[in-house]
Amino acid sequence: FDRTRFNPSQMSQAALTAGMVPARFVPLIESAIRGQADYSVDGWEEFFTLFERGDIECIPKDAAHFLYDDAKQFLRVRGKDVVIVTAGRRAIQVRKVERTGVLPLVADVIYTDREIKGEVLAARYPNALPDAVFVDDSTKQLASVAEHCPWIKVYEIQRDRSDSGKFTLIRTLDEIP
């Protein structure tokens, strides 16, 4: 979901600008914006715990404007065939997906929490799906889907970073055949 359909850096920057993030967590969020988050660093567990309890709210209520423009169009046209597969802390991912307004547009959402997406997809869809594609910016997730679901065509999407050279590269969802 993040960096595929949704711009987490813009959302995080907006949360910082709006003062939604307590000062002690600002350096952590800034590292995430730069794409350098190290979740083993002290502070992240406390941040996630407080978020899950509802003591911190750092996702704007109307997060739809953090969807990439091509993602909005893609979901309007092809959404009923789309299954969003998102990794990361479940409470945060659920809130992001809900607040973007995409739920009515898609067939399903799979929250993997911290499980590998390929393993989750293989368990959920054990039979080959004709014309299935998987798009992600994480080479770890792409490799897991390629390994566990060889019938799925994988695409690496890199909107603002260089590609790994290991998978078919796309820059927007418009490039999916």
Side-chain angles (χ1 to χ4, degrees):
F1 190 68
D2 290 356
R3 290 187 176 68
T4 302
R5 291 178 185 81
F6 180 79
N7 189 326
S9 297
Q10 281 185 353
M11 191 243 357
S12 296
Q13 188 61 55
L16 289 176
T17 302
M20 298 173 78
V21 178
R24 70 184 183 276
F25 299 118
V26 168
L28 299 177
I29 301 302
E30 288 173 338
S31 73
I33 290 170
R34 291 188 308 273
Q36 300 169 342
D38 177 356
Y39 296 107
S40 67
V41 170
D42 286 345
W44 277 113
E45 272 309 310
E46 179 187 7
F47 175 83
F48 291 133
T49 298
L50 292 171
F51 183 90
E52 289 163 359
R53 283 195 334 222
D55 296 338
I56 292 177
E57 182 52 69
C58 60
I59 299 173
K61 297 211 183 293
D62 178 16
H65 59 279
F66 300 115
L67 289 169
Y68 294 107
D69 290 338
D70 63 292
K72 293 174 190 177
Q73 179 62 22
F74 182 84
L75 292 173
R76 278 193 288 273
V77 173
R78 298 170 77 173
K80 293 300 178 193
D81 296 323
V82 171
V83 175
I84 293 174
V85 184
T86 185
R89 295 294 193 128
R90 185 178 180 89
I92 291 175
Q93 296 303 318
V94 167
R95 188 96 29 91
K96 281 193 279 192
V97 169
E98 287 174 348
R99 291 190 175 174
T100 59
V102 301
L103 285 174
L105 302 175
V106 299
D108 196 9
V109 179
I110 300 172
Y111 300 98
T112 67
D113 200 31
R114 289 174 269 181
E115 293 181 67
I116 301 298
K117 292 179 182 181
E119 295 171 7
V120 173
L121 281 172
R124 183 87 167 255
Y125 300 104
N127 301 314
L129 300 169
D131 303 320
V133 299
F134 178 80
V135 179
D136 208 297
D137 68 316
S138 164
T139 55
K140 176 182 172 182
Q141 299 293 0
L142 290 162
S144 76
V145 171
E147 176 186 348
H148 295 283
C149 307
W151 60 88
I152 296 178
K153 174 75 174 149
V154 297
Y155 293 91
E156 178 179 359
I157 189 165
Q158 295 298 344
R159 294 180 179 273
D160 54 4
R161 296 187 269 185
S162 60
D163 67 304
S164 68
K166 297 177 183 176
F167 302 96
T168 303
L169 174 68
I170 61 174
R171 295 286 181 192
T172 71
L173 295 174
D174 298 332
E175 298 173 46
I176 297 172

